[in-house]
């Protein structure tokens, strides 16, 4: 979800105004995903690199996160949405962690849509953590290094029980992955949109899915 700051700047507004409008776009995206039959929707809400932003902007983003978790939980639960958070929670404020735990507990049995939000998340750190866990198990003698394969490695990632994404959509015209789901996106189709995230709506969502539908996925194999 990229372009909140540029959306605000183009309108002579403070960056927080762009983030607030971006939160509205999250609500619209979740609704559209459910209507379009998307089973898993993963949103990159706050990266591990975002902690380096000005402290007042980080504080505003944490405030928006608090508001979203408090204000949207009941409605998301009613819709059958399961909320799941991936990332380094220990870096988040304690009250935010409590709200996350409440949201995950309340919605854990919902099956209509899994809403996965990456917070304080970085894919390289995720991979390093998985490697460290496997190394520690091998060192302790509870794991034969020869038994480590892609399936076992993936089971130690934050997305262990979540399917790898079929489609990655990046807004605002940027054409890079930015440390997001690097392992999981090995065969993901990418769609880059010029629309800024605050303006992302159902029409843009449908356009991305339509583009995905025109792709021929080979997974490294030669077809025909």
């Amino acid at each position: 979800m990229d372009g909140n700051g540029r959306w605000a700047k183009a309108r002579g507004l403070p960056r927080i105004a762009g983030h607030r409008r971006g939160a509205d776009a999250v609500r619209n995206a979740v609704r559209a995903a459910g209507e379009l039959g998307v089973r898993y929707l993963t949103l990159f809400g706050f990266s591990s690199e975002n902690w380096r932003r000005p402290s007042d902007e980080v504080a505003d983003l944490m405030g928006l996160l608090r508001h979203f978790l408090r204000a949207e939980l009941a409605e998301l639960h009613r819709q059958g949405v399961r909320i799941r958070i991936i990332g380094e929670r220990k870096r988040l404020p304690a009250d935010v962690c409590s709200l996350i735990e409440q949201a995950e507990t309340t919605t854990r049995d919902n099956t209509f849509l899994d809403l996965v939000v990456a917070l304080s998340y970085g894919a390289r750190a995720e991979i390093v953590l998985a490697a460290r866990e496997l190394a520690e198990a091998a060192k302790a003698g509870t794991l034969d290094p020869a038994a480590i394969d892609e399936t076992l490695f993936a089971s130690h990632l934050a997305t262990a029980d979540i399917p790898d994404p079929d489609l990655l959509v990046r807004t605002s015209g940027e054409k890079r992955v930015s440390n997001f789901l690097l392992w999981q996106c090995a065969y993901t189709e990418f769609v880059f949109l010029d629309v800024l995230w605050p303006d992302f709506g159902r029409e843009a969502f449908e356009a991305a899915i339509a583009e995905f539908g025109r792709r021929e996925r080979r997974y490294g194999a030669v077809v025909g």
Side-chain angles (χ1 to χ4, degrees), residues 20-81:
R20 290 193 184 108
R21 185 62 179 264
D24 292 336
V26 168
R27 189 181 301 109
N28 295 335
V30 172
R31 183 183 305 113
E35 293 171 351
L36 294 169
V38 174
R39 183 62 184 80
Y40 292 86
L41 176 65
T42 303
L43 302 176
F44 202 177
F46 190 86
S47 75
S48 54
E49 291 79 17
N50 287 157
W51 288 112
R52 297 198 293 266
R53 291 188 176 187
S55 58
D56 57 342
E57 182 177 358
V58 171
D60 286 339
L61 288 168
M62 291 298 114
L64 275 178
L65 177 57
R66 291 184 184 94
H67 176 75
F68 181 84
L69 290 169
R70 290 171 178 148
E72 302 296 330
L73 177 57
E75 178 60 20
L76 290 171
H77 184 41
R78 187 191 67 78
Q79 294 174 9
V81 175

Side-chain angles (χ1 to χ4, degrees), residues 134 142-153:
L134 291 168
T142 59
L143 173 65
D144 180 357
I148 300 174
D149 57 13
E150 291 184 12
T151 300
L152 180 60
F153 191 90

Side-chain angles (χ1 to χ4, degrees), residues 93-111:
D95 65 315
V96 170
C97 290
S98 295
L99 290 170
I100 287 171
E101 291 171 7
Q102 178 187 356
E104 289 184 324
T105 300
T106 300
T107 64
R108 63 186 174 191
D109 294 325
N110 294 342
T111 59

Side-chain angles (χ1 to χ4, degrees), residues 42-44 86 118 121 123 168 177-185:
T42 303
L43 302 176
F44 202 177
I86 61 173
Y121 172 86
L168 183 148
V177 182
S178 295
N179 201 18
F180 183 59
L181 299 179
L182 297 178
W183 174 280
Q184 298 87 340
C185 284

